[in-house]
Amino acid sequence: LDGNRLGRDTHSIMPSLEFNCSGTITGFLLVVDVRTNRDEYPTIWLWNKTDETTYTRVDDSSVEIRLGPSNFSTDGVYQFSLSTPLQFTANQVLGIYQPRHGNSVVRCYY
């Protein structure tokens, strides 16, 4: 993390978002900055925690954050609903891939 902004062109695991039960995610409340003339989007994945420093990405758990000027609020807060809910289990963690600053349509803040 760079301040409260995710680093550029990185996968960031968010250990504070580790699950201790099973459940379903139907959406996210995001603080974002949407920019024009770019062509890449952040992606959220679930990761399995195998030990204190090792994570493996869960196949079929990716959610691309596709927002644009027409579908977010002017204050930068956006409720992103998932068309297919994301199932998680205990010991899984949310992670995000943030494309490089110059390429990303959406910048996510954590």
Side-chain angles (χ1 to χ4, degrees):
L1 296 174
D2 176 14
N4 67 340
R5 184 183 48 172
L6 292 166
R8 58 179 192 260
D9 205 21
T10 60
H11 283 93
S12 297
I13 302 294
M14 296 176 254
S16 61
L17 298 176
E18 179 178 345
F19 300 105
N20 60 9
C21 62
S22 296
T24 303
I25 299 171
T26 58
F28 298 96
L29 185 61
L30 303 169
V31 177
V32 299
D33 178 17
V34 178
R35 292 128 13 108
T36 58
N37 300 321
R38 289 163 172 87
D39 60 0
E40 294 180 24
Y41 294 86
T43 304
I44 293 175
W45 278 287
L46 287 172
W47 296 76
N48 287 319
K49 183 176 181 179
T50 54
D51 62 42
E52 289 305 311
T53 60
T54 307
Y55 300 87
T56 55
R57 195 170 70 204
V58 176
D59 292 334
D60 299 324
S61 71
S62 68
V63 177
E64 189 173 61
I65 307 301
R66 277 200 173 260
L67 307 177
S70 64
N71 64 355
F72 78 101
S73 67
T74 56
D75 63 3
V77 177
Y78 181 75
Q79 184 158 350
F80 184 73
S81 298
L82 302 178
S83 57
T84 303
L86 189 58
Q87 304 291 321
F88 63 86
T89 60
N91 296 321
Q92 288 185 329
V93 180
L94 277 180
I96 189 166
Y97 167 73
Q98 179 68 67
R100 290 182 337 155
H101 185 72
N103 296 354
S104 187
V105 174
V106 178
R107 297 300 298 172
C108 291
Y109 296 84
Y110 174 74

